[in-house]
Amino acid sequence: MSTPKILILGAGYGGLLTTLKLQKKLNYNEAEITLVNKHNYHYITTWLHEPAAGTASADHARVNLDQIIDMNKVNFVKGTVQSIQPEEQTVTLESGEVLSYDYLVIGLGSEPETFGIQGLKEHAFSIRSINAVRQIREHIEYMFAKYKNEPERTDYLTFVVGGAGFTGIEFCGELADRVPELCQEFDVDPDLVKIYCIEAAPTALPGFDPELVNYAMDVLSRKGIEFKIGTPIKECTENGVLLANGEEIKSKTVVWAAGVRGNSIVEKSGFEVMRGRVKVDEYLRAPGYENVFVVGDCALIFNAEGRPYPPTAQIAVQEGECLGDNLAALIRGEVMQPFVPALQGTLASLGKGEGIGMVGSKKLFGSTAALMKKASDLRYLWKIGGVGLAMKKVRL
Ligand code: FAD
Ligand code: NAD
C-alpha cells in the first residue's frame, strides 16, 4: 500500500498544531505530510493589535516555520490555496500547482465579516495578517505627517474603530498607548487626536461579564477612547463613517474589527457553511467527507446548549492537537477520540500593563490580567517552539 498523504492548509494555530502533533507522533515512513501556507512564517494573530497600533514591530509577531517544523518530516509548500476539489481529493494553488491528498486538513483562518455594509471593503482596514497590520501602522503615522502639512484637516487625526468586541477593545488599548508617542514625534497637540470605538450592541464586549466590561471601558475612556455604544456603523466612505443614528464621523482611518467569518475559499469550494464556517462533527470532519477535517476559524462547533463556540486561538490550538492525534490514529488503524474543548478562560489586554480576564469563575483586573495573558502567551510559544522561542519572544 502506498504511503497515505496528509495535506494541511494553513499554518495558523489549527494547522500548525496539527502539523506539530503529526511530526511528533508519526515516523518518517508512516505518512507523507504536506503543509501549505501563504508565507514561510506563522504569525501570532493574538498579538496583531500591537504592531497594528505600532506598539510592537510586526516582526515580533512572526515565527519562521523552519524554526519550529522538522522540514525532513514535513514538505512545506509556500503557496496560496485557490480552491479545494473534495470529490477529486485535490487542492489547487494560485500558482496552478495541484496537490492531491488522502486526508485533508483545512485551517485557512478567517476574513473580516462586513455584513454587506457599503464601503467597508474599499475604505476600511482590518487586523488580519502581518501585511495588513504593517499597512495600518504606516497609515497612522502617515496621517500624523499629513496633518502637519494641512493643519486644518483634523480628520487626519480622527481614528475610528468599528466594533467593541475583543479585537476592537485590544486595538483601542494599544492605539491609546501609541498616541502620546506619535504626538511627541510629530509635535501634535494630543487634544486634537480623537479615537472613537463604535459598537452596535447595547454594550461593549457583548456577553462578557458586566463588571469586567465596565472596568475595560473605564480604563480605555481614561486613556482617551470615546465610546459610542448602541450605534451601528451603517456605511463607510473615503471620508469616514455614517452611523445608524444619522451621525457622520469624518476620518481617514477606519479599522473594522466587528467580527469574522470563515475563509471564503471553503464556501467557494462547495462546502456547506454558516458565516463561512463548516459545521463539523465530533471528529472535526466536514459533513459528507470522511477524509476532510476542518480546524480553527473555518470550523463551527457547538456547546451543550447548542450555542456556537466563538472562533478563538484557544479552541484552534486544542482542535489542532486533537486532530493530530486522530490522524495518527487513523493512519495506524486505531480509534479516533471525539473533540471536546476545555475552555481555560478569556484574557484580554487593554494596553501596557492593563487587562481583564475571566479564568474559571475568577475575574481578573489590571496588571494581574495582563500578567496572566503574558503567561498564556509564554505557554503557547513554549508549546510550538520550546523554551528558546518562549524566551526570545515574550516581552515582560
Ligand atoms: P489563523 O491563525 O488566522 O491562520 C490561518 C493561516 O492560514 C495563516 O497562516 C494564513 O496565512 C493562512 N492562509 C490563509 N489563507 C490562505 C490561502 N489562501 N492559502 C494559503 N494559506 C492561507 N483568540 C484567543 O483565543 N485569544 C486571544 O487572546 C485572541 N486575541 C486575538 C487578537 C486579535 C487582534 C485577533 C485578530 C484575534 C484574536 N484571537 C484570539 C482570535 C484568534 O487569533 C483566531 O481565532 C485564530 O487565529 C484562529 O486560528 P486559525 O488557525 O483558524 O487561523
Ligand atoms: P466579535 O464578533 O467578537 O466582536 C465584534 C463586535 O462588533 C461585536 O460587539 C458586534 O456587536 C460589533 N459590531 C457588529 N456590527 C457592527 C456595526 N455595524 N457597527 C458597530 N459595531 C458592530 O469579533 P472580534 O472582536 O473581531 O473577535 C473575533 C473572534 O476572536 C472572537 O471569537 C473573539 O472572542 C476572538 N478574540 C479573542 C480575543 C481575546 O480572547 N483576547 C481578542 C480578540 C479576538
Side-chain angles (χ1 to χ4, degrees):
M1 214 180 93
S2 64
T3 315
K5 289 182 185 173
I6 304 175
L7 179 57
I8 301 157
L9 309 181
Y13 293 82
L16 179 65
L17 268 294
T18 308
T19 310
L20 292 176
K21 246 304 157 66
L22 283 170
Q23 90 176 15
K24 190 166 166 199
K25 288 218 137 183
L26 293 179
N27 297 318
Y28 288 91
N29 55 357
E30 281 186 286
E32 195 184 306
I33 306 165
T34 301
L35 172 66
V36 181
N37 195 55
K38 256 187 199 173
H39 317 283
N40 58 359
Y41 56 83
H42 164 71
Y43 50 80
I44 302 172
T45 316
T46 60
W47 290 357
L48 287 182
H49 51 291
E50 297 177 5
T55 52
S57 76
D59 261 1
H60 184 66
R62 309 181 349 162
V63 181
N64 285 343
L65 287 168
D66 62 3
Q67 250 184 287
I68 47 180
I69 284 174
D70 179 351
M71 297 291 183
N72 293 316
K73 270 191 164 179
V74 176
N75 309 315
F76 173 65
V77 177
K78 181 170 176 270
T80 301
V81 175
Q82 188 175 57
S83 61
I84 303 163
Q85 296 77 232
E87 305 301 339
E88 287 96 64
Q89 299 193 184
T90 57
V91 168
T92 307
L93 306 187
E94 277 181 9
S95 63
E97 191 178 351
V98 178
L99 304 168
S100 63
Y101 62 81
D102 295 304
Y103 301 99
L104 181 69
V105 178
I106 305 175
L108 293 170
S110 62
E111 293 177 358
E113 172 64 277
T114 57
F115 305 105
I117 296 170
Q118 208 180 321
L120 280 175
K121 284 196 175 127
E122 298 81 359
H123 305 298
F125 296 93
S126 61
I127 301 170
R128 53 182 301 201
S129 65
I130 291 287
N131 291 329
V133 300
R134 278 195 183 122
Q135 207 185 353
I136 298 174
R137 178 198 182 128
E138 295 271 325
H139 175 85
I140 292 170
E141 289 174 8
Y142 183 52
M143 287 299 105
F144 274 78
K146 263 180 96 68
Y147 167 74
K148 290 306 286 184
N149 291 290
E150 296 170 69
E152 71 290 354
R153 295 291 303 269
T154 49
D155 56 325
Y156 289 151
L157 298 180
T158 300
F159 301 92
V160 171
V161 179
F166 282 108
T167 303
I169 289 289
E170 289 197 318
F171 177 63
C172 283
E174 294 304 314
L175 188 55
D177 283 355
R178 182 82 203 289
V179 162
E181 205 181 281
L182 288 165
C183 287
Q184 199 170 28
E185 186 182 336
F186 290 90
D187 298 315
V188 165
D189 174 0
D191 287 343
L192 294 174
V193 181
K194 303 273 177 243
I195 308 172
Y196 294 101
C197 184
I198 300 172
E199 169 57 49
T203 166
L205 301 175
F208 202 52
D209 178 83
E211 197 187 354
L212 291 166
V213 175
N214 284 338
Y215 180 85
M217 286 183 69
D218 278 353
V219 168
L220 294 178
S221 300
R222 268 187 274 119
K223 287 189 182 200
I225 307 294
E226 291 187 37
F227 284 97
K228 288 186 180 286
I229 300 294
T231 49
I233 290 178
K234 71 166 201 202
E235 193 182 334
C236 181
T237 69
E238 61 174 337
N239 297 318
V241 288
L242 298 175
L243 309 187
N245 63 8
E247 197 181 337
E248 181 182 4
I249 299 175
K250 290 203 183 307
S251 166
K252 287 285 178 192
T253 316
V254 177
V255 177
W256 184 244
V260 294
R261 54 184 293 117
N263 193 313
S264 55
I265 289 171
V266 181
E267 184 170 11
K268 285 182 197 144
S269 299
F271 291 96
E272 220 176 279
V273 293
M274 286 165 72
R275 277 184 71 174
R277 302 169 73 191
V278 179
K279 189 176 161 191
V280 291
D281 71 7
E282 60 194 320
Y283 303 111
L284 305 171
R285 287 179 301 204
Y289 299 100
E290 295 265 295
N291 61 343
V292 177
F293 299 81
V294 192
V295 285
D297 286 2
C298 289
L300 183 60
I301 55 169
F302 292 85
N303 66 16
E305 290 82 49
R307 296 184 53 192
Y309 281 102
T312 62
Q314 187 183 153
I315 290 185
V317 164
Q318 293 178 15
E319 287 174 339
E321 291 190 304
C322 171
L323 181 55
D325 282 339
N326 278 342
L327 282 169
L330 262 184
I331 301 265
R332 291 174 176 163
E334 295 162 6
V335 176
M336 294 196 291
Q337 297 302 318
F339 174 67
V340 183
L343 296 189
Q344 285 137 9
T346 300
L347 293 159
S349 98
L350 303 170
K352 196 167 171 50
E354 267 290 358
I356 47 170
M358 179 70 102
V359 177
S361 58
K362 202 166 168 41
K363 297 178 196 179
L364 303 174
F365 301 86
S367 55
T368 314
L371 206 65
M372 285 292 281
K373 189 153 173 47
K374 294 277 178 208
S376 140
D377 291 344
L378 194 74
R379 207 170 52 231
Y380 176 67
L381 292 164
W382 196 306
K383 194 189 273 286
I384 64 167
V387 65
L389 185 69
M391 290 299 132
K392 191 171 145 202
K393 289 280 179 192
V394 155
R395 299 186 314 160
L396 293 170

